[in-house]
Amino acid sequence: MARLEVDAVTKIFGASVRAVDGLSFAVADREFVFLLGPSGAGKTTTLRMIAGLEQPSDGRVLIDGRDMTWAAPRDRNVAMVYDRNSLYPHLSAYENMAYPLRLRRTPGAELDARVKRVAEILRIGELLDRAPRQLSGGQQQRVAIGRMLVRDAGLYLMDEPISHLDAKLRSHMRLEFKKLQSEFAATILYVSHDQLEAMTMADRIIVVDHGAIQQIGAPREIFQRPANRFVAGFVGEPAMNFLACEVRADGGKIAAAGDGFSLPLCAEHAAALSAVARTPKAFEIGLRPQHLAIAGNGAEDGDERESGIGGTIYAVETLGSATVFDVSVGQTVIRVQANQDALPNRAFRINDPVRIRVDTRRLHLFDRESGRAAIHPSLSRESGRLAVLGA
Amino acid sequence: MTESKRVIVSPKSAPVENNWWVHMILVTVFMIAVIPVLWVVMTAFMTKTQTQVMPPEIFFKPSFNAFGVIVRQFGMLTFMAHSIIIAVASTFFSVTIGTFCAYALARFSFPGKEDVSFWILTNRMMPAVAVILPIFMIFQTFGLLDTFVGIIFLYTAMQLPFVVWMLKGYFEDIPREFEEVALVDGDTWLGAFRKVVLPLMRPSITAASIFVLILSWNEYAFALFLTGTNTRTLPPSVVTFTVSTEVSFDLLGAAAVIIAGPILLFVVFVQKQFVRGLSMGMVR
């Protein structure tokens, strides 16, 4: 197994397209790390530079402490699987899996044993005689993963290996990957644009956009304390709501006010922002749909930490276990996710006026100019650990 | 049993048409195309006097006289040997070199790539007669006239653009991932090419080879000017012994059969391969 270090790697295509811009991160031995980002973020290019299929314009790639920036792919002891086209169509599944071993002149008996063992784990034992085109998409990807696993690679690189499978198979494969990783004690770098894959499988997630790292952290940390507006908007389903606002000292209280609403901040946030609030500054409030609720029949309840935003129903999406309300507030639409048992006891029609209850301890605030997080939700009961990043 | 025989027809499917007239047209076209060929083959089995009879006889007693004459008296088999050597060698070289050229053009990006591709194509644009004189003089200067090296070299150069352009497209159809996966798996670049790309390309390369072989076999203009007694191929040789003060149609017919026969049999034999190679990548 191996460690991977990527040190200020930059890739420039053509004259000026900076696909990857000074990327630095490390993957520890036996760690499952995700490169998460939208398409065009430079994830795949980064992966290809680690595999040696692409040469970086600047920076270094170290595997187990050795500089591999210019080494040929075969000298790096990495294994890779693509989203598709990973199998040779002219070879059977068995021969596809045996290919890396034949290259290493593995003796016949050992080769056979290894292929059979991996096939057993991936449950493709009875498919080994078939040609790739006789396999379904999921089976093909499993054979491709099998070929990656038959050899003792130091580092496994995966480029969206399951993104073309159907939803059900994907969720099954997510589990399989998690299990495989612990069984094979593998170091895995996994490229994906699917935040759900990253959240469920990763030890750590590296969020990239425009060729630069936005945040590195454990899935929970990425979700709860996004470093900037991009990460906040990219991770989480349904996506976080953003509302433009200003932070003002309103009488004795500090409040975030915007188009048609004014949310008094909780004491911790207020303390953190008291310096900022003297001169009004442009912010954006970030609200997770899960942390909002539709107030019952317009009746306010007395909880002082909760505050409301008024709006009208724009659409209602029923997801089964939950219902998502799209509420238009001023010019924007805010999505509110309510669990089935927490639904207000009434029917909603389009254009009905509603109030959204906001737990002000759980709001995010982002600097509108830089996008950096100014305050994270105060982690309840741990009142001392308040984050102030952008102020 | 009746259950399985029932054909389910979609109500929206077009009615099955009984196109008898299409078959009439096809038969007519076939007759027009095949009668001259048939006539040539018939002439090959006539004697000289039979070929000159007016009106021509459709039923006659076949003789192998003409074949005997061109084989024994004019040494047709020697010319055939020349043809085989030249066609096979030039096919081998043009396909081998062309495969590598096409691969490079399909896979690697380098400055002037498009210009190189186009320049290769322009080599094929001029008709043979337009360049025959300069080539003759070049061959004369280098002592290549009437040598196997010279004519094989020329045919290779002539067929190369064809091979390159045909195979380039097929190489582009092969996903780059195949080679990259092989490289990461621990193979060398050449190993990936040999073990992954070539097997996938075999049908297309075979088709290109067949095409080139036929073109080389039938080539006339260059062969007429650049080959002599040592290297004369079949197509120009025919003229020398069938056309003098008068045309010996019986000999001409026999020669035509000898030239076209092998290649015709060859094509019938490899037809399946040929179609598979040409249609590769189209049916996915």
Side-chain angles (χ1 to χ4, degrees), chain A residues 220-298:
Chain A
R220 186 170 284 271
E221 191 187 342
I222 299 265
F223 183 78
Q224 291 181 338
R225 302 169 68 81
N228 58 37
R229 195 190 180 283
F230 172 80
V231 176
F234 194 74
V235 176
E237 175 64 37
M240 189 185 273
N241 299 298
F242 295 101
L243 283 169
C245 72
E246 275 182 352
V247 171
R248 280 196 287 255
D250 196 8
K253 282 190 156 184
I254 292 177
D259 185 13
F261 67 94
S262 176
L263 294 171
L265 296 183
C266 68
E268 292 168 30
H269 290 157
L273 287 170
S274 58
V276 186
R278 278 184 210 112
T279 53
K281 196 177 169 194
F283 283 98
E284 257 184 309
I285 296 182
L287 296 164
R288 293 245 179 244
Q290 295 87 345
H291 297 158
L292 300 173
I294 295 285
N297 247 342

Side-chain angles (χ1 to χ4, degrees), chain A residues 48 82 87 90 99 104 147, chain B residues 178 180-181 185 187 195:
Chain A
R48 289 170 58 83
Y82 278 101
L87 297 179
H90 62 296
Y99 187 91
R104 284 167 182 71
R147 184 175 59 191
Chain B
F178 289 155
E180 291 182 349
V181 165
D185 275 346
D187 218 336
K195 275 176 275 187

Side-chain angles (χ1 to χ4, degrees), chain A residues 93-116:
Chain A
Y94 182 94
E95 281 307 316
N96 262 292
M97 285 171 72
Y99 187 91
L101 297 176
R102 292 208 194 282
L103 285 176
R104 284 167 182 71
R105 306 196 192 290
T106 311
E110 197 198 328
L111 180 145
D112 193 60
R114 279 207 201 189
V115 172
K116 294 258 165 72

Side-chain angles (χ1 to χ4, degrees), chain B residues 15-225:
Chain B
V16 180
E17 289 178 45
N18 187 10
N19 297 334
W20 58 270
W21 50 273
V22 171
H23 291 274
M24 291 295 292
I25 294 173
L26 285 175
V27 167
T28 315
V29 171
F30 172 75
M31 297 287 275
I32 293 169
V34 92
I35 280 176
V37 179
L38 201 66
W39 196 252
V40 169
V41 175
M42 280 167 66
T43 338
F45 294 97
M46 292 178 185
T47 57
K48 189 162 186 173
T49 42
Q50 278 171 322
T51 63
Q52 290 163 334
V53 175
M54 261 310 166
E57 293 174 356
I58 295 177
F59 301 100
F60 57 93
K61 192 169 165 281
S63 94
F64 289 89
N65 179 45
F67 288 97
V69 171
I70 57 169
V71 168
R72 267 187 238 110
Q73 199 176 324
F74 295 108
M76 187 82 172
L77 292 182
T78 320
F79 299 130
M80 189 181 236
H82 294 163
S83 261
I84 291 172
I85 291 169
I86 291 167
V88 169
S90 63
T91 302
F92 174 78
F93 287 118
S94 61
V95 170
T96 308
I97 300 168
T99 302
F100 284 109
C101 285
Y103 182 74
L105 285 173
R107 276 291 187 267
F108 304 114
S109 55
F110 49 87
K113 176 177 152 174
E114 294 307 312
D115 301 321
V116 170
S117 307
F118 185 69
W119 171 72
I120 289 174
L121 191 65
T122 55
N123 286 336
R124 200 65 220 208
M125 283 180 180
M126 262 180 287
V129 286
V131 290
I132 224 156
L133 196 64
I135 286 178
F136 183 86
M137 290 167 80
I138 292 167
F139 268 48
Q140 201 172 33
T141 314
F142 289 98
L144 291 173
L145 286 174
D146 195 17
T147 61
F148 281 115
V149 176
I151 194 76
I152 289 170
F153 189 80
L154 182 75
Y155 278 8
T156 302
M158 196 177 77
Q159 311 291 19
L160 208 49
F162 177 78
V163 177
V164 170
W165 271 81
M166 183 171 162
L167 292 184
K168 185 170 162 264
Y170 291 118
F171 273 124
E172 281 164 353
D173 281 348
I174 293 182
R176 204 180 275 257
E177 281 93 338
F178 289 155
E179 288 141 275
E180 291 182 349
V181 165
L183 287 180
V184 174
D185 275 346
D187 218 336
T188 57
W189 175 84
L190 201 67
F193 179 76
R194 190 170 59 83
K195 275 176 275 187
V196 178
V197 180
L198 273 191
L200 292 173
M201 283 293 287
R202 193 181 296 142
S204 303
I205 292 176
T206 310
S209 308
I210 295 167
F211 225 99
V212 168
L213 192 72
I214 294 170
L215 284 176
S216 300
W217 182 268
N218 289 341
E219 209 286 328
Y220 175 74
F222 284 119
L224 182 65
F225 283 91

